[in-house]
Amino acid sequence: MLRAELERLGASRLGPLAIGGHAYRFAGGLELDVLESSAPWVSAALDHPAITSLGWPVIDLSYLVLMKLEAGRDRDLR
């Protein structure tokens, strides 16, 4: 469903991400990583986003840390 919507908006699917999910690129060059996870904390993270000064919902810092730990990549663990 999300993939179809992104493609409808002009995004091209670039390929899978090492941490689960896929990367997309829009015509203007903007790249978007769509992460996929079945971790038990994901629902809470989506239900309780932090809000940026522009009013955009983003993953709260505590959940971002969990996501980075789950990814387990050296750069994320640093």
Side-chain angles (χ1 to χ4, degrees):
M1 187 165 152
L2 179 60
R3 179 181 179 181
E5 183 64 16
L6 289 170
E7 290 174 353
R8 186 187 71 74
L9 294 170
S12 301
R13 187 170 155 171
L14 300 176
L17 299 171
I19 61 173
H22 291 85
Y24 293 84
R25 180 180 297 132
F26 288 88
L30 175 73
E31 290 190 11
L32 175 68
D33 291 345
V34 178
L35 305 177
E36 299 170 9
S37 175
S38 59
W41 55 266
V42 172
S43 293
L46 295 175
D47 290 344
H48 305 287
I51 305 298
T52 69
S53 60
L54 296 174
W56 298 351
V58 296
I59 191 168
D60 188 73
L61 181 58
S62 58
Y63 296 115
L64 178 62
V65 170
L66 287 172
M67 182 183 75
K68 296 294 188 175
L69 290 172
E70 185 177 294
R73 300 178 302 180
D74 284 343
R75 72 185 207 185
D76 292 321
L77 295 174
R78 281 184 285 223

